[in-house]
Amino acid sequence: MTEWRPRVAIIGTGGIAHVHVRMIRDLGGELVAVCGRTLGAASAFGHADPYDDPARMLRERAPEVVHVCSPHHLHAEHSIAALAAGAHVLCEKPMATKLDDGLRMIDAAARAGRTGAIAYTYRGYPLIEVLRSKLAADHFGNLRRVGGCYLSQDVFAADKYVWMFSPGTTGDSYVLMDLGVHWLDLVEFVTRQRIVEITAQLSTHQPERIWRGAPGEGREPPGSRTEDGGVRVRHGLEEQADLLIRLSNGAAGSATISGVSPGHPNTIALSIDGSERGADWNQQDPNVWIERSATGNTTIQRSPDALPQHLAWMSKLPSGHAEGYADAFRNVVFQSWAAMRGGHFGYPSFADGLRGLRLIDAALRSAADRRPVSVGD
Ligand SMILES: NC(=O)c1ccc[n+]([C@@H]2O[C@H](COP(=O)([O-])OP(=O)(O)OC[C@H]3O[C@@H](n4cnc5c(N)ncnc54)[C@H](O)[C@@H]3O)[C@@H](O)[C@H]2O)c1
């Protein structure tokens, strides 16, 4: 797909870092180093030379690209260090935990003359691009409604703990930062409209969770000791967010974002109503979309031929053969690397990352004040 075979380093050695390894290799990158919280973690991760000090890794290995896969609150620190060392950055979402950190990352990229990309991986589905181009071509008529959901069962188990419940790791939100940010990005990306107003209601269903030190739970948080050696943590973070949104063209819609929905491993749904037709798409069945009209609905298969010419590279398998998450993920890494090389591909940028933080900030303020909140640029 690309002639560029950059020297790449990864910071963070958890679940998503393994996916990045696969994408880097698929695209012909050379993975030169991996930096974990400890040398043991980086060694156990494998794949490349292990480090536990990002500064040393950047100095010694001089990667051209750094993929930042550490926990949310470290994205800014790790990205800014990589940019200052002359690397381009592909940073995991959410961009940061605070708006100020997002702004500092944008400033660091500008000062370094390097590209900052955000791993909004769901943008990489070909059918997302199909819906986007059909909306732009007024295929659905005037856009009236955008709705949907992001439902998962990530933290459904009664006392399930993840590091995002540890103070300081995720800002003031759990589910919007972890899942909602993807849905909000998809809405603005697909519609090319801004969300100008948000009304949010947040729910915390399981305010007490137990840390046991399992993978994904992070370091021991403050809390009270349980009889079996765990740590009982009380937190005020939302596991469910219900959002009402208004778009810049006047369209309106709603979504539920939840990490406690049994039987939903990763349901991301996007539903569009226009004045002529409607559309539905679901990430768990990403090779089809439903076109709705007042006289009946049609299920339409992904087909490379349906993509605009300049996006034909996104979908290589013939229609009727499943493409999926890994293909979408690889597409976003490819777009981001192409942008780093000065190519003219669209890609999810640091500006898009900051946008996600602004939308979440507005949602949190709305929920706190129990009122609609306007979203600035
Ligand atoms: N784009 C997506 O769809 C997607 C999917 C999953 C995760 N993510 C994002 O990726 C990031 C990591 O998530 P994950 O699921 O891999 O979590 P994880 O808990 O599996 O991994 C986090 C890793 O970071 C390591 N770490 C902690 N402190 C560190 C430090 N100081 N230096 C280096 N490494 C450190 C931990 O040891 C752990 O290995 C999160 O921000 C998450 O939101 C994005």
Side-chain angles (χ1 to χ4, degrees):
M1 289 174 83
T2 171
E3 294 306 308
W4 195 36
R5 305 200 178 287
R7 292 162 46 77
V8 187
I10 295 179
I11 304 179
T13 54
I16 206 65
H18 285 282
V19 182
H20 281 257
V21 170
R22 183 173 159 191
M23 300 309 141
I24 291 162
R25 294 205 165 132
D26 268 14
L27 292 169
E30 183 194 355
L31 185 59
V32 296
V34 171
C35 185
R37 184 162 63 81
T38 64
L39 203 53
S43 300
F45 184 80
H47 303 295
D49 291 345
Y51 285 84
D52 62 357
D53 177 358
R56 186 163 159 235
M57 179 189 77
L58 292 164
R59 198 171 54 243
E60 290 185 359
R61 307 313 303 264
E64 294 167 283
V65 180
V66 172
H67 286 214
V68 175
C69 301
S70 47
H72 307 349
H73 64 301
L74 298 171
H75 289 177
E77 174 189 327
H78 289 155
S79 296
I80 291 170
L83 291 161
H88 300 283
V89 167
L90 174 56
C91 179
E92 268 301 345
K93 48 49 63 175
M95 179 184 203
T97 54
K98 301 184 192 100
L99 276 168
D100 278 357
D101 282 347
L103 288 165
R104 286 196 305 118
M105 290 166 72
I106 288 175
D107 185 51
R111 271 188 287 115
R114 294 291 182 268
T115 297
I118 299 293
Y120 283 143
T121 41
Y122 300 108
R123 280 194 191 191
Y125 282 108
L127 289 185
I128 286 294
E129 288 285 359
V130 167
L131 292 179
R132 186 170 191 250
S133 59
K134 284 189 178 294
L135 266 166
D138 280 338
H139 178 75
F140 302 104
N142 295 331
L143 178 65
R144 291 172 167 173
R145 183 189 69 89
V146 182
C149 61
Y150 192 150
L151 305 179
S152 102
Q153 55 189 5
D154 283 359
V155 293
F156 173 68
D159 58 3
K160 163 98 176 167
Y161 196 84
V162 292
W163 54 258
M164 285 166 261
F165 293 116
S166 294
T169 62
T170 185
D172 298 324
S173 152
Y174 162 66
V175 85
L176 286 173
M177 280 293 206
D178 196 35
L179 309 182
V181 73
H182 277 300
W183 191 85
L184 293 165
D185 177 68
L186 281 181
V187 167
E188 290 202 339
F189 180 66
V190 167
T191 65
R192 299 174 208 242
Q193 302 288 327
R194 293 291 217 185
I195 296 170
V196 293
E197 187 179 277
I198 295 191
T199 310
Q201 174 178 271
L202 308 183
S203 304
T204 305
H205 300 289
Q206 293 162 202
E208 195 170 279
R209 292 177 177 273
I210 297 181
W211 177 92
R212 294 194 172 85
E217 297 188 8
R219 280 197 260 197
E220 183 175 327
S224 56
R225 188 65 66 187
T226 61
E227 279 175 10
D228 62 356
V231 176
R232 182 173 289 108
V233 179
R234 287 197 68 79
H235 71 91
L237 300 179
E238 89 291 1
E239 305 122 340
Q240 179 182 329
D242 292 281
L243 306 176
L244 286 179
I245 57 172
R246 174 75 67 190
L247 302 192
S248 35
N249 78 327
S254 63
T256 294
I257 315 293
S258 171
V260 289
S261 277
H264 281 286
N266 205 63
T267 298
I268 308 176
L270 209 54
S271 178
I272 293 164
D273 288 346
S275 54
E276 305 289 329
R277 297 179 186 82
D280 291 307
W281 177 83
N282 180 347
Q283 192 276 153
Q284 290 192 160
D285 195 7
N287 287 274
V288 296
W289 66 283
I290 313 293
E291 179 171 288
R292 291 183 273 102
S293 79
T295 52
N297 299 346
T298 312
T299 301
I300 302 175
Q301 297 279 337
R302 176 195 58 79
S303 160
D305 303 335
L307 280 165
Q309 187 68 33
H310 69 287
L311 295 172
W313 61 272
M314 291 184 84
S315 187
K316 292 291 182 216
L317 298 184
S319 187
H321 300 74
E323 287 182 345
Y325 176 66
D327 301 282
F329 206 122
R330 187 202 54 229
N331 286 344
V332 169
V333 177
F334 173 71
Q335 288 172 315
S336 302
W337 285 11
M340 293 168 189
R341 293 282 283 168
H344 296 295
F345 283 93
Y347 71 104
S349 66
F350 270 13
D352 299 320
L354 186 70
R355 185 72 194 151
L357 297 184
R358 280 204 197 289
L359 291 165
I360 291 172
D361 176 66
L364 296 180
R365 284 188 286 122
S366 164
D369 299 349
R370 295 178 172 241
R371 63 179 174 88
V373 167
S374 301
V375 189
D377 278 324

